[in-house]
């Protein structure tokens, strides 16, 4: 399955993370970083989304004409493991088909700086994805941003809630920029093209 049967339907791009300044630079918050950059590109400002526990920016991406897409950028404000509720509330409100939902999230099983895009599949132990899948099924797109595995005996929970290291931060702007490009390509040109360009 690629771009859906109704190309005029809006897209919901959900960056996953935890709200609050203490989490802002955590590895777990790379999804927030990507949608923040997308909002900047659209000259949009996040605002509270009605009754949904989320912040949103509404806008359009893509060239003028048939490839121009209506998008809603979202940051759930519920904490990572409860992301499904706010995303589903936004999906209902904006009438977004499940296959037009994109989760942008950190991925432990991919090396740092590597991207992988896919449609559907399991949650691989990621609590944000687990919550989304429970809320509306698994057939949504994922932009998986590799953060690598924790070193030594560090617990996964500790690793994802730590800030990117100083070495990682040297590449972080490039990585977030590339992930934002991948989201735009997915929405405008479809999964197959985006995978061919950005999966590594």
């Amino acid at each position: 399955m690629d771009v859906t049967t109704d190309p005029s339907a809006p897209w919901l791009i959900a960056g996953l993370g935890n709200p609050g300044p203490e989490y802002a630079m955590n590895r777990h918050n790379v999804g927030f970083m990507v949608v923040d950059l997308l909002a900047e590109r659209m000259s949009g400002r996040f605002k509270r989304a009605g009754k949904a526990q989320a912040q949103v920016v509404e806008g359009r991406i893509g060239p003028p004409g048939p490839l121009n897409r209506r998008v809603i950028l979202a940051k759930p404000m519920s904490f990572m493991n409860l992301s499904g509720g706010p995303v589903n509330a936004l999906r209902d409100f904006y009438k977004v088909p499940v296959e037009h939902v994109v989760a942008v999230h950190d991925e432990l099983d991919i090396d740092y700086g590597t991207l992988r895009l896919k449609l559907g599949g399991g949650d691989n132990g990621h609590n944000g994805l687990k919550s989304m899948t429970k809320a509306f099924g698994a057939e949504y797109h994922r932009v998986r941003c590799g953060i690598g595995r924790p070193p030594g005996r560090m617990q996964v929970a500790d690793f994802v809630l730590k800030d990117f290291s100083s070495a990682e931060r040297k590449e972080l702007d490039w990585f977030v920029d590339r992930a934002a490009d991948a989201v735009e390509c997915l929405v405008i040109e479809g999964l197959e093209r985006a995978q061919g360009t950005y999966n590594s």
Side-chain angles (χ1 to χ4, degrees), residues 19-36:
E22 66 271 36
Y23 300 105
M25 291 304 295
N26 286 182
R27 294 182 178 93
H28 224 16
N29 271 42
V30 69
F32 274 18
M33 297 173 198
V34 174
V35 293
D36 279 340

Side-chain angles (χ1 to χ4, degrees), residues 78-118:
S78 55
F79 287 95
M80 179 68 86
N81 60 355
L82 299 173
S83 300
V87 175
N88 200 34
L90 294 171
R91 196 181 70 77
D92 285 344
F93 180 78
Y94 289 104
K95 299 180 171 49
V96 178
V98 172
E99 66 271 22
H100 269 202
V101 175
V102 182
V104 186
H105 63 93
D106 58 305
E107 178 61 65
L108 286 159
D109 285 339
I110 302 174
D111 289 341
Y112 176 69
T114 300
L115 293 173
R116 297 272 167 77
L117 288 82
K118 69 173 188 173

Side-chain angles (χ1 to χ4, degrees), residues 158-177:
D158 294 332
F159 179 69
V160 298
L161 292 176
K162 282 201 182 321
D163 288 0
F164 285 103
S165 70
S166 55
E168 289 169 334
R169 281 200 295 274
K170 290 175 183 169
E171 303 289 331
L172 187 58
D173 286 349
W174 172 86
F175 185 26
V176 169
D177 193 66

